[in-house]
């Protein structure tokens, strides 16, 4: 089959055949009817792959767990995603598998040297395989509060009225028009690691020799199929280990949390981070979590369980369900199993138990614009959640005139300075002039200046670095935010002079001598 080379898949002779095909399901002691339906996927009249729908009808208390197994062929390299596989040959992507289901799933990779599924030798599994197993949705649905969850079941069950449970796994296999966008993540990409928990977790580790602190960066919400890290360039110079976590579950992420209310994603991400921090030798009180929007929500969610000292969240969603219900119902459905008001309420309560576990050693800072609807609809909810937990009240850095779409640039500029202050490697000062924010950070023989512009009006600003009374560096007027780095001459007194121009008027501000300079 040219569209799916190397995949051990019993396909009908004609791709356009949509008649259900009965298959014998080999795993488990009890009865489980298994029907497979295969159809072509077309894009603009051209076949781009096949859609394989596996339908399981489980009857009886001892019915086996419905499972679909995909095996790796010789010469293939597989990149496991949270809800799919990218297949490479000779360094080039050739295929992609993505799956969706009517119930939560576990995903298990079997090494070529390990025992094959079912314990029976099979040449189809000689190069490794992935098992996708349905977890009974009724038995595995968990409270948004992890403290209230019960043991989950591994097998399908019978409904209360005695009717058999029906599950579907739809796997789309594409040879072109891929869902996953190319962000440079390949099986050979350096720095990337994969944790095999209840589901696979992909993350990038940027270690810094001798560093005592570590920063965990959670990715923000992107377009469908676009899974990459954020803020790496902004943090490259930070003298701390960095861990960048991907949320590549479903087609657009799952807030690092749940699938059909099953918390296997959250547990897998937590276990991956705990293993990575242990490997880096980082203590909890030297751990910091950061992210913006969805990433900020995750930074808050994982802080207590990691024992983080600092959380820096840019405009985080607190009422997750309410936020997702209109613009991103696909994410809401993946996380909760539906889009009803009850599903929205369940997702709105996700963050509460994690916030309740914050202690007095965790400082939360929220960076948010005053024109952002999160400022009105989410920030007060977070403040109420934190109140009474024993944790310090969240510090709020309010950005005048910034809405939610505009949070990325100022957060990218502010967050490294806030982290430097948290880990004690710089002398940070903030100045304000006519809506502009000027943030200076002195480390050793250099000073970094962040110029954060107001959104409205877009007044231009300029800056001089003055040394011993003379303008050693002049930065011309611009209405744009900028980050600048200057070398400081030893033995000379240095300060900044800021200028903001509005019409024919000009306002100026001079800083005190920069402390921490050589």
């Amino acid at each position: 089959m040219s569209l799916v080379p190397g995949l051990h898949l019993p396909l009908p002779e004609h791709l356009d055949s949509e008649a259900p095909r009965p298959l014998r399901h080999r795993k488990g002691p009890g009865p489980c009817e298994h029907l497979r339906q295969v159809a072509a996927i077309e894009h603009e009249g051209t076949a781009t792959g096949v859609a394989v729908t596996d339908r399981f009808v489980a009857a009886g208390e001892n019915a086996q767990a419905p499972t679909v197994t995909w095996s790796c062929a010789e010469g293939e390299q597989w990149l496991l995603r949270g809800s799919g596989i990218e297949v490479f040959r000779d360094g080039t992507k050739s295929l992609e598998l993505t799956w969706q289901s009517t119930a939560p799933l576990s995903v298990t990779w079997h090494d070529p040297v390990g025992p094959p599924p079912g314990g029976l030798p099979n040449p189809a599994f000689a190069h490794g395989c992935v098992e996708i197993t349905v977890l009974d949705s009724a038995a595995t649905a968990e409270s948004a509060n992890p403290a209230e969850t019960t043991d989950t079941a591994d097998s399908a069950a019978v409904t209360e009225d005695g009717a058999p449970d029906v599950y579907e796994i739809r796997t789309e296999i594409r040879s072109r028009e891929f869902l996953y966008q190319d962000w440079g993540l390949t099986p050979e990409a350096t720095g990337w690691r994969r944790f095999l928990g209840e589901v696979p977790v992909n993350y990038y580790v940027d270690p810094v020799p001798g560093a005592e602190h570590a920063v965990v960066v959670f990715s923000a919400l992107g377009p469908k199929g676009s899974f990459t890290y954020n803020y790496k360039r902004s943090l490259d110079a930070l003298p701390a280990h960095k861990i960048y976590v991907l949320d590549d579950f479903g087609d657009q992420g799952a807030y690092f949390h749940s699938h059909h209310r099953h918390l296997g994603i959250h547990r897998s991400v937590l276990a991956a981070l705990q293993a990575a921090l242990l490997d880096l030798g980082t203590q909890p009180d030297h751990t910091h979590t950061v992210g913006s929007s969805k990433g900020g929500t995750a930074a808050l969610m994982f802080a207590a369980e990691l024992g983080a000292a600092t959380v820096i969240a840019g405009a985080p969603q607190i009422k997750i369900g309410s936020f997702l219900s209109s613009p991103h119902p696909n994410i809401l459905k993946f996380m909760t199993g539906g889009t009803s008001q009850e599903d929205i309420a369940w997702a709105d309560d996700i963050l509460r138990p994690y916030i309740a576990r914050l202690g007095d050693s965790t400082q939360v800072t929220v960076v948010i614009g005053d024109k952002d609807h999160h400022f009105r609809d989410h920030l007060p909810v977070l403040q109420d959640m934190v109140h009474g937990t024993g944790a310090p009240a969240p510090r709020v850095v309010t950005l005048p005139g910034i809405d939610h779409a505009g949070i990325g640039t100022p957060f990218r500029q502010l967050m490294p300075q806030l982290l430097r202050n948290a880990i004690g490697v710089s002398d940070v000062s903030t100045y304000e002039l006519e809506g502009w924010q000027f943030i200076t950070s002195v480390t050793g023989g250099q000073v970094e200046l962040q110029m954060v512009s107001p959104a409205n009006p877009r007044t231009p600003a300029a800056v001089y670095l003055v040394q011993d009374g003379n303008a050693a560096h002049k930065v011309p007027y611009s209405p744009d935010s900028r980050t600048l780095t200057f070398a400081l001459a030893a033995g000379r007194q240095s300060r900044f002079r800021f200028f903001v121009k509005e019409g024919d008027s000009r306002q100026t501000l001079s800083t005190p001598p920069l402390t921490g300079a050589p």
Side-chain angles (χ1 to χ4, degrees), residues 487-509:
L488 298 176
R492 302 180 66 182
Q493 187 182 80
S494 302
R495 69 176 75 228
F496 282 114
R497 183 175 297 157
F498 305 121
F499 306 87
V500 176
K501 186 164 58 176
E502 186 172 6
D504 295 330
S505 65
R506 185 181 73 168
Q507 302 296 322
T508 65
L509 173 68

Side-chain angles (χ1 to χ4, degrees), residues 27-242:
K27 181 180 180 180
C32 184
E33 180 185 8
H34 178 192
L35 300 176
R36 171 165 285 172
Q37 185 174 346
V38 182
I41 300 174
E42 293 188 353
H43 179 77
E44 297 180 351
T46 301
T48 59
V50 293
V52 181
T53 301
D54 289 286
R55 186 172 186 267
F56 301 89
V57 181
E61 294 183 0
N62 295 319
Q64 68 266 25
T67 301
V68 172
T69 302
W70 299 104
S71 60
C72 184
E74 184 177 2
E76 291 180 346
Q77 300 84 43
W78 281 18
L79 174 62
L80 286 182
R81 296 286 197 162
S83 301
I85 303 167
E86 293 183 88
V87 181
F88 291 79
R89 281 183 175 271
D90 299 322
T92 301
K93 183 173 175 177
S94 58
L95 287 175
E96 175 182 275
L97 289 77
T98 59
W99 49 77
Q100 53 188 297
S101 62
T102 58
L105 302 172
S106 68
V107 180
T108 305
W109 167 255
H110 293 273
D111 288 323
V113 297
L120 299 176
N122 188 328
F125 307 119
H127 304 286
C129 65
V130 166
E131 276 192 319
I132 306 165
T133 302
V134 173
L135 305 173
D136 174 36
S137 56
T140 59
E142 303 180 42
S143 166
N145 186 340
E148 295 178 359
T149 60
T150 57
D151 291 337
T152 60
D154 292 327
S155 59
V158 178
T159 58
E160 292 183 1
D161 60 6
D165 281 331
V166 179
Y167 305 99
E168 283 190 358
I169 302 176
R170 175 183 168 90
T171 306
E172 296 188 357
I173 308 170
R174 306 177 192 88
S175 59
R176 66 200 76 162
E177 300 298 330
F178 298 129
L179 169 69
Y180 293 122
Q181 297 185 24
D182 182 8
W183 285 103
L185 177 55
T186 68
E188 289 81 21
T190 59
W192 284 98
R193 301 183 188 180
R194 183 168 303 104
F195 182 86
L196 299 177
E198 296 174 59
V199 291
V201 179
N202 290 299
Y203 60 99
Y204 181 89
V205 179
D206 183 10
V208 175
E212 295 183 356
H213 292 259
V215 179
V216 181
V217 187
F218 294 92
S219 59
L221 184 63
K224 288 183 178 181
S226 180
F227 302 110
T228 186
Y229 48 58
N230 304 115
Y231 305 118
K232 183 178 183 300
R233 186 174 298 176
S234 301
L235 294 176
D236 276 346
L238 188 73
H241 308 300
K242 277 80 69 175

